[in-house]
Amino acid sequence: MEFGTLVHMHGISLVGYQRGSAGGPSFQAINPATGAALEPAFRTAAPEDVERAAQLAAAAALDYGRRSGAEKGAFLRAIAANLETAAPALVERAASETALPLARLQGETARTCNQLRLFAELVENGSWVDARLDRAQERASGPRKPDLRSLLRPIGPVAVFGSSNFPLAFSVAGGDTASALAAGNPVVVKAHPAHPGTSELAGQAIISAARDCGLPEGVFSLLFDAGIDVGVALVQHPLIRAVGFTGSLAAGRRLMDLAAARPEPIPVFAEMSSVNPVFILPRALQSRGGAIATGLHASVTLGAGQFCTKPGLVMLDHGAEAFVAELAALMQQPAAFTLLTAGIARGYQTGARERAAHPAVRALTPPAAAGVTAPALFQTDAAGFLAHPGLAEEIFGPATLLVRHGGLSELLAVARSLRGHLTATVHGTEEDLREYADLLPILETRVGRLVLNGFPTGVEVTHAMVHGGPYPATSDGRSTSVGTQAILRFARPVCYQDWPAFALPPELQDGNPLGIERHLDGVLE
Amino acid sequence: MEFGTLVHMHGISLVGYQRGSAGGPSFQAINPATGAALEPAFRTAAPEDVERAAQLAAAAALDYGRRSGAEKGAFLRAIAANLETAAPALVERAASETALPLARLQGETARTCNQLRLFAELVENGSWVDARLDRAQERASGPRKPDLRSLLRPIGPVAVFGSSNFPLAFSVAGGDTASALAAGNPVVVKAHPAHPGTSELAGQAIISAARDCGLPEGVFSLLFDAGIDVGVALVQHPLIRAVGFTGSLAAGRRLMDLAAARPEPIPVFAEMSSVNPVFILPRALQSRGGAIATGLHASVTLGAGQFCTKPGLVMLDHGAEAFVAELAALMQQPAAFTLLTAGIARGYQTGARERAAHPAVRALTPPAAAGVTAPALFQTDAAGFLAHPGLAEEIFGPATLLVRHGGLSELLAVARSLRGHLTATVHGTEEDLREYADLLPILETRVGRLVLNGFPTGVEVTHAMVHGGPYPATSDGRSTSVGTQAILRFARPVCYQDWPAFALPPELQDGNPLGIERHLDGVLE
């Protein structure tokens, strides 16, 4: 199939290699910059679409789950190539649906394709399966020790929820889909209703790649819904074996609770809420205060503050007046942002207004005009912060809260009070780090990534990246949703006892035909 | 401290390095062979004991969690040495509390010590942390790629529930405790009320080792309770970060639900219920039927059928009459077992009576006298099995159910109907395996371990062992509770961005000072 012929939208779910039902209620995307409804209308997936997508995925799992790394890699690369072909249409549509700048969306498309190719490399290499071989052994007493061989196998059909804030990299063909497909699992995506057109174009890229690679129908489906029924049905469907989600704490927790209440509970990997504390230590402040203020302002306002790694909490001692004045001036530079949806904009404006009115808080930026999204800088002190846990909650958008403290012991008390976050950042000289050595062990238990002398908003897609963290940053602090370790969410170990070579996966056969890294009796081969 | 001086029981919880409160209600262990109550009485831990154990564990986590692999290894080895010193007392007490034979308990003590030493080796070697280093890089466009380094770090205080059926290897100093301690986590054990004395002796071995190794108070605590209050309070305690459990489906699911409903949900690793299907294929039956019958009988009745890997479901075609007669004769050999507790015995006798009376089932062994625990063999056919899902449920004790089928397509239908199990076993010749090639891919999605031409009841403690499987076999089919991979349950990845060597864990420092396996930009160093 020529993928080029598919780069237009039908507004109907993609259920395996068919279109879904066209009879349900419809909704349209809204251009957040203009308020205009965008064509075409999208039909809500019907219950039978959910059922068919799940059934097809379960049937496809037995075939696709046994495809080689080379075959899965070719599929992921074909998706990336199709996305590149579709990039002009994708970026244009995404810009209309999200109000994100074209350059950002072009960058995000490239990131999405690189991410798919990184997972392709990972499964082509094949060592990710953690192959372990323990040899049989006769024993003086008792029965012979059997031959045991284990590797990671796919978990089964995965439901993925597209996020609003990254319409490409964390959406239909984003990290959850890429890592679930790489592990050998069929994927059913529930499209985010704020960018259904972008979702359909990306979904077509995946479907076209699946056909071209000769993969079984059901390896991928895409379902539309402006409400929650389709998502709820997916998470409750007995054939769905895991869930990937990026979004709000309220929605993520809802999915966690649904999954935990199933007759057979399944894991939910939800990335939800993070305020990303920043600790600016005194010598760093003294030597680089201006650069830190500039960098912090850029990080808080990047993408209109709609990054899950936006620094929303900054710990500074009482002597940092010049820095605070400088940051406050930057935050008051004329800037009016268009947020992703009208709902997010209302939420931000309300959150900022309430925080400004909080008795323990002083606003360092003037109130924005009604209906305007402007950067906001707030300040409290350590006592106020510790007394009001609500101040540690996320305001999604370009706002941040300074917490002024009286030195090491107050700083450590604030650190100990933190819940789970994706990141924590420290600005410090070597001397600062030695003086504040007790800080790092505390932060390490609270976050997935510790940044030194930088800003948390750049999330590289690499092997060592951890984009995770204890609840409520994610549903499971043992996981990452970015980087190659994300594949481990969607795999489970299986052990073969005394099987002959012909019945074993090639990863476990004698002679190591795939040439992967393996451990033999615990020692690297 | 001389451990030898501690080998007697006080009947009071061990809370850090202190005894718990002695004022609560008390209970005694019962010798299941005689019905006699055993001295001493054990005091139920008070709410303040739970609170102090959790607080001490959380405080200890920051210190113990940063101890080197060598220090953790020395601790695990010291526990093993103390258990060996205490072995005569441990085995004697365990025999009184469980009615398990001395030889079995001696073997289980050795297994427990070997398991502790295997985890010691694992952390002394240090490569288990999956160290990943991605180098910094200047880029033509955009900001520099940062230096990213990740490794697995401890999850935090772990609550462990001792199991009834392995009073040593899956109890106080068993696999959950060993793997949680190896990962760097303090452990709070809720002792199983059926063997509190064995629990206290094992707990003393751990406490004594912790003191001798200079570890912080709270790295280990042991709480007694004949009821559920202490366990519930532990799982709900905000400072507890994960749970390990081996026991019944009802109790395990209760803990899962409690953990999922917390303000901050935590992972529960519960090993619960498994019927361990066995598929005997025709050529294997023909060539080795006698040996399979003997082995199956031994496996079903091993430990009075109280193994979680007991084969409780056997698929055979209609032509297997001679085999069935042989197995039925073996199962009718005079044998009366004493089960672990009076409750388990009642449960078994009721379960066996109900199954014998099931309309789709024929009993191939005569009914046991009232109050007697005798082996039981039942038979149904594929249609009956598929029509009555209750027949797939576990009867804990020496019973098994034959499912007679009409060949490949019925066999596959039965396989597809299976829920999650710890193991599946196939008896087959090479020709059988080729003819029934569609069976393995189905079974692989249902279990953690696939056994060929053997029996599932031996669970080796090795690197490749997977003692896990999809729900309801465990709460999380992505995990194993036996073997070195069990450590991964209690660890989470943490990423360091741009940190200097002195502030990094040694596992991530330049030059690889610990000489562990690491991946540099995705390639093994």
Side-chain angles (χ1 to χ4, degrees), chain B residues 97-409:
Chain B
E97 291 182 329
T98 66
L100 291 169
L102 287 177
R104 143 76 192 267
L105 291 166
Q106 282 155 354
E108 197 182 321
T109 306
R111 177 192 178 92
T112 306
C113 295
N114 290 343
Q115 186 163 258
L116 286 157
R117 293 193 176 106
L118 182 63
F119 281 109
E121 263 175 48
L122 185 76
V123 298
E124 287 160 356
N125 170 286
S127 296
W128 75 276
V129 299
D130 191 14
R132 296 164 179 237
L133 292 77
D134 297 330
R135 277 175 293 200
Q137 203 181 305
E138 298 300 330
R139 280 186 284 220
S141 69
R144 155 185 163 281
K145 179 177 163 188
D147 179 277
L148 294 164
R149 306 179 185 215
S150 74
L151 84 172
L152 293 175
R153 298 286 300 133
I155 195 170
V158 176
V160 169
F161 288 75
S163 80
S164 66
N165 61 338
F166 281 82
L168 295 153
F170 287 80
S171 195
V172 176
D176 286 346
T177 297
S179 55
L181 290 175
N185 305 293
V187 169
V188 182
V189 173
K190 154 70 173 60
H192 196 285
H195 54 262
T198 311
S199 296
E200 184 176 347
L201 295 176
Q204 287 171 346
I206 300 174
I207 288 288
S208 174
R211 280 185 185 273
D212 288 348
C213 293
L215 297 180
E217 180 172 18
V219 71
F220 178 80
S221 290
L222 173 67
L223 303 174
F224 293 112
D225 184 6
I228 66 166
D229 293 352
V230 165
V232 168
L234 264 184
V235 172
Q236 292 184 325
H237 199 288
L239 295 174
I240 295 295
R241 310 308 307 160
V243 177
F245 168 89
T246 302
S248 72
L249 178 56
R253 180 64 190 249
R254 176 94 196 267
L255 297 185
M256 290 172 66
D257 291 344
L258 284 170
R262 287 167 49 119
E264 302 193 357
I266 55 173
V268 171
F269 300 99
E271 189 232 287
M272 301 182 293
S273 176
S274 181
V275 189
N276 305 297
V278 176
F279 295 80
I280 306 180
L281 303 184
R283 294 174 192 83
L285 187 77
Q286 200 170 15
S287 61
R288 296 189 294 109
I292 296 173
T294 309
L296 188 59
H297 169 254
S299 186
V300 169
T301 56
L302 188 70
Q306 300 169 115
F307 277 45
C308 31
T309 50
K310 181 206 73 179
L313 201 54
V314 182
M315 269 54 80
L316 278 168
D317 69 26
H318 290 305
E321 284 310 323
F323 173 89
V324 172
E326 194 169 349
L327 182 62
L330 289 167
M331 295 285 283
Q332 288 177 66
Q333 284 176 348
F337 295 116
T338 302
L339 298 189
L340 290 157
T341 67
I344 289 174
R346 273 193 305 276
Y348 174 74
Q349 290 156 17
T350 306
R353 203 162 46 239
E354 288 174 0
R355 185 149 294 178
H358 192 287
V361 168
R362 188 156 69 91
L364 303 181
T365 43
V372 170
T373 295
L377 182 64
F378 304 106
Q379 181 170 283
T380 186
D381 60 13
F385 181 77
L386 293 171
H388 300 283
L391 294 180
E393 280 167 23
E394 185 177 12
I395 296 180
F396 191 73
T400 197
L401 172 65
L402 307 181
V403 179
R404 306 293 294 274
H405 61 82
L408 181 59
S409 77

Side-chain angles (χ1 to χ4, degrees), chain A residues 287-442:
Chain A
S287 61
R288 297 188 293 108
I292 296 172
T294 308
L296 188 60
H297 168 254
S299 186
V300 169
T301 57
L302 188 71
Q306 298 169 117
F307 277 45
C308 31
T309 50
K310 181 207 73 179
L313 202 54
V314 182
M315 270 53 82
L316 278 168
D317 70 26
H318 289 305
E321 284 309 323
F323 174 88
V324 172
E326 193 168 349
L327 182 62
L330 289 167
M331 295 285 282
Q332 288 177 67
Q333 285 176 350
F337 295 115
T338 303
L339 298 189
L340 290 158
T341 68
I344 289 174
R346 274 193 305 276
Y348 174 74
Q349 290 155 18
T350 305
R353 202 162 47 239
E354 288 173 0
R355 185 149 291 176
H358 193 286
V361 169
R362 188 155 68 90
L364 302 181
T365 43
V372 170
T373 295
L377 181 65
F378 304 106
Q379 182 170 283
T380 186
D381 61 14
F385 181 78
L386 293 170
H388 300 282
L391 294 180
E393 280 167 25
E394 184 178 13
I395 296 180
F396 192 73
T400 197
L401 172 66
L402 308 181
V403 179
R404 308 294 294 275
H405 61 82
L408 181 59
S409 78
E410 272 199 356
L411 183 74
L412 295 180
V414 168
R416 281 192 205 96
S417 80
L418 294 173
R419 300 176 72 189
H421 297 275
L422 294 169
T423 70
T425 298
V426 175
H427 283 274
T429 64
E430 183 168 332
E431 214 177 330
D432 283 328
L433 295 184
R434 294 193 192 276
E435 183 181 342
Y436 290 79
D438 289 343
L439 179 59
L440 188 60
I442 298 169

Side-chain angles (χ1 to χ4, degrees), chain A residues 62 66 130 132-134 139 144-146 148-150 153 155 241 253 256-257 260-265 267 269 419 426 430 433-434 440-442 444-452 455 458 460 462-466 469-471 476-479 484-485 488-500 502-503 517 519 521-522 524, chain B residues 62 66 130 132-134 139 144-146 148-150 153 155 241 253 256-257 260-265 267 269 419 426 430 433-434 440-442 444-452 455 458 460 462-466 469-471 476-479 484-485 488-500 502-503 517 519 521-522 524:
Chain A
L62 283 180
R66 299 176 79 80
D130 191 14
R132 296 163 179 239
L133 291 78
D134 297 331
R139 280 186 284 221
R144 154 185 164 283
K145 179 177 164 190
L148 295 163
R149 306 179 186 213
S150 74
R153 296 287 300 134
I155 194 169
R241 307 312 304 162
R253 180 64 190 250
M256 291 172 66
D257 291 344
R262 287 167 51 121
E264 303 193 355
F269 300 99
R419 300 176 72 189
V426 175
E430 183 168 332
L433 295 184
R434 294 193 192 276
L440 188 60
I442 298 169
E444 199 188 70
T445 64
R446 302 299 196 276
V447 307
R449 178 165 55 109
L450 292 152
V451 180
L452 181 68
F455 298 93
E460 299 289 334
T462 72
H463 303 285
M465 174 51 64
V466 178
Y471 188 92
D476 182 348
R478 299 163 59 250
S479 66
T484 54
Q485 298 181 70
L488 302 175
R489 298 175 299 169
F490 302 121
R492 44 180 286 272
V494 175
C495 175
Y496 298 78
Q497 180 169 323
D498 287 331
W499 289 80
F502 79 90
E517 293 166 22
H519 286 84
D521 294 326
L524 194 71
Chain B
L62 283 179
R66 299 176 79 79
D130 191 14
R132 296 164 179 237
L133 292 77
D134 297 330
R139 280 186 284 220
R144 155 185 163 281
K145 179 177 163 188
L148 294 164
R149 306 179 185 215
S150 74
R153 298 286 300 133
I155 195 170
R241 310 308 307 160
R253 180 64 190 249
M256 290 172 66
D257 291 344
R262 287 167 49 119
E264 302 193 357
F269 300 99
R419 299 175 72 188
V426 176
E430 183 168 331
L433 296 183
R434 295 194 193 274
L440 188 60
I442 298 169
E444 198 189 71
T445 64
R446 303 298 197 276
V447 307
R449 179 165 54 110
L450 292 153
V451 180
L452 181 68
F455 298 94
E460 298 289 333
T462 72
H463 304 284
M465 174 52 64
V466 178
Y471 188 92
D476 181 349
R478 299 164 58 249
S479 65
T484 54
Q485 298 182 69
L488 302 176
R489 300 175 298 169
F490 302 122
R492 44 180 285 273
V494 175
C495 175
Y496 299 77
Q497 179 170 323
D498 287 330
W499 289 80
F502 79 89
E517 292 166 23
H519 285 86
D521 295 325
L524 195 71

